[in-house]
Amino acid sequence: MRYLISGGGTGGHIFPAVSIANALKELDPEAQILFVGALGRMEMERVPQAGYDIVGLPVRGFNRAQPWKNISVVIDLIRSMRQAKKIIRDFRPDVGVGVGGYASGAAMKVAAKMGIPILLQEQNGFAGVTNKLLKDDAQKICVAYENMERFFPKDKIILTGNPVRQNLTGGTKADALTYISKEFQKEFSTDKKTLLIIGGSLGARTINNSLLDGLQSLLDADIQVIWQTGKIYYDKIKEQTADVSTTHKGLVITPFISNMPDVYALSDLVISRAGASSISELCLLGKPAILVPSPNVAEDHQTHNAMALVNKDAAVLVKDSEAKEQLVSTALQLMRDDERLKSLHTNVLTLAQKDSATRIAQEVMKLCRR
């Protein structure tokens, strides 16, 4: 079978797409898979790194702030749809998979017009523009949240959850201590509580600034802190925390964590943005979390993602605009409340969707057989 997978623009689109491709390869080792992305976007680098071929389209997003600049955008969209038609004729896919993003809109629209069945995967609790525009062309729409009938036809929706990174489960506290000792030369303990801060692959300015202001109060409370700053913020934060980071045994500051399974296992509480992939990981692992939705995303979808957990008492929300005043104090309060941490752990586990990539791949293959 031949599978055409399209989408990208952000890691939130690319990671599920690659996970679905990996699952298709496991179920169908002879599968031929071709990705379609947008030229100049991160999928053009990340997808080949994952071992798959990708073709780029000159498609771009519309400029909502300056509509008069969209003439060239429309021209590129027309060019992209023509190129997509040629790609589809040459590759002859049995099914198309769209995960959102500019390229997905062009490629999946053309595929549907050419009679190819398509499946959409929506990562967020508030559907993206591309998937909403494609809803009538899709045979199936795999979603990560309940109550998505307000965006898509009910009979097309399948609740599968979002694919998470491979080998995420199975981490141990003992291995985390070894990793921290070797990687950072710090001596952590399983007798103390650990706070994990992750702001996404690029980091989060608001979260980082809030931690800078409240770091000493966390350390004074004898809380171990693992702080992933993101690459673009690391040097400045390292400089600003030089005195305490070198002397305090219970503090790790790093631009990137290479061993997430073990670090997750050691963590009692996580501070995170509310991206779809991050939330899916927290649910699968049952991690109590404080979510700080990014205000810089389309349709404010991270707030919708977070509220799906908050409304079921499965996470705590701190607004980005209030993080500097509330984030650290909220973390301290939760770390002192074992019953609350236990309740959050129990509730968030009920929202986990397991084997999401495999379940989505199975639905894709059903469309092939049809």
Side-chain angles (χ1 to χ4, degrees):
M1 293 294 179
R2 296 170 180 262
Y3 305 94
L4 187 77
I5 302 177
S6 184
T10 67
H13 292 313
I14 297 166
F15 180 78
V18 171
S19 294
I20 293 168
N22 292 341
L24 285 168
K25 273 291 190 182
E26 288 182 8
L27 296 172
D28 180 8
E30 300 301 317
Q32 296 185 47
I33 297 173
L34 178 66
F35 280 76
V36 177
L39 289 172
R41 305 293 288 189
M42 62 191 299
E43 60 265 26
M44 302 305 296
E45 180 180 348
R46 296 289 179 86
V47 169
Q49 288 174 352
Y52 296 101
D53 294 330
I54 186 168
V55 181
L57 302 177
V59 65
R60 294 179 287 142
F62 283 92
N63 190 328
R64 299 181 186 182
Q66 299 172 306
W68 61 88
K69 293 187 176 181
N70 286 324
I71 294 174
S72 62
V73 176
V74 172
I75 293 172
D76 283 341
L77 176 60
I78 294 170
R79 288 174 56 210
S80 295
M81 295 188 77
R82 287 175 179 169
Q83 289 184 27
K85 189 172 184 178
K86 184 179 186 305
I87 291 166
I88 291 168
R89 279 179 173 169
D90 292 343
F91 184 62
R92 296 177 290 111
D94 294 289
V95 63
V97 180
V99 298
Y102 308 138
S104 179
M108 292 300 106
K109 192 70 178 179
V110 172
K113 283 186 176 181
M114 296 175 72
I116 295 164
I118 67 171
L119 176 145
L120 304 179
Q121 198 259 333
E122 175 56 57
Q123 299 92 35
N124 296 296
F126 193 93
V129 173
T130 299
N131 281 345
K132 285 191 286 187
L133 290 173
L134 291 169
K135 65 181 180 182
D136 294 330
D137 298 304
Q139 276 67 45
K140 295 293 180 182
I141 304 172
C142 294
V143 301
Y145 294 90
E146 297 175 345
N147 303 316
M148 296 298 283
E149 295 85 357
R150 55 197 169 131
F151 304 112
F152 305 123
K154 186 176 181 179
D155 61 331
K156 296 183 178 183
I157 294 174
I158 304 171
L159 182 63
T160 57
N162 284 319
V164 300
R165 68 188 90 186
Q166 292 178 325
N167 304 320
L168 187 67
T169 58
T172 68
K173 292 185 178 183
D175 287 340
L177 298 184
T178 301
Y179 165 70
I180 290 169
S181 176
K182 289 183 177 179
E183 185 77 9
F184 306 106
Q185 291 76 53
K186 293 296 179 78
E187 298 301 322
F188 273 43
S189 168
T190 55
D191 295 328
K192 297 180 180 180
K193 287 183 178 175
T194 301
L195 174 66
L196 171 64
I197 301 102
I198 46 176
S201 57
L202 298 177
R205 180 185 294 133
T206 300
I207 293 177
N208 286 338
N209 288 341
S210 302
L211 263 293
L212 277 172
D213 290 345
L215 180 61
Q216 193 59 53
S217 60
L218 289 168
L219 299 178
D220 289 345
D222 208 20
I223 293 171
Q224 298 173 147
V225 176
I226 304 173
W227 182 0
Q228 179 182 285
T229 64
K231 293 180 180 179
I232 61 177
Y233 301 108
Y234 175 72
D235 289 337
K236 185 176 180 181
I237 290 173
K238 191 69 174 175
E239 180 182 342
Q240 291 176 289
T241 60
D243 292 341
V244 66
S245 64
T246 54
T247 59
H248 202 286
K249 294 181 179 180
L251 172 63
V252 165
I253 301 177
T254 177
F256 178 74
I257 298 170
S258 61
N259 185 355
M260 284 303 298
D262 291 335
V263 168
Y264 266 135
L266 184 64
S267 304
D268 298 281
L269 178 67
V270 179
I271 293 175
S272 174
R273 284 300 199 194
S277 295
S278 297
I279 285 186
S280 295
E281 291 182 358
L282 294 170
C283 290
L284 186 66
L285 297 171
K287 285 296 163 183
I290 301 172
L291 301 175
V292 187
S294 171
N296 306 312
V297 294
E299 312 292 341
D300 194 26
H301 67 250
Q302 286 204 5
T303 296
H304 293 275
N305 293 349
M307 291 308 299
L309 273 63
V310 173
N311 289 337
K312 297 195 175 183
D313 195 28
V316 174
L317 175 72
V318 171
K319 293 181 180 179
D320 188 270
S321 60
E322 299 172 353
K324 209 160 187 183
E325 294 76 29
Q326 297 183 12
L327 185 57
V328 171
S329 60
T330 302
L332 284 166
Q333 184 180 357
L334 282 172
M335 287 296 234
R336 296 184 183 117
D337 191 342
D338 289 338
E339 286 301 314
R340 182 76 172 122
L341 289 176
K342 184 177 180 181
S343 173
L344 289 171
H345 163 74
T346 301
N347 293 342
V348 76
L349 268 180
T350 65
L351 303 178
Q353 295 286 339
K354 297 182 179 180
D355 303 318
S356 295
T358 300
R359 290 160 63 191
I360 295 168
Q362 289 169 341
E363 294 298 330
V364 173
M365 294 177 70
K366 287 179 186 177
L367 292 180
C368 284
R369 287 196 282 275
R370 236 179 250 176

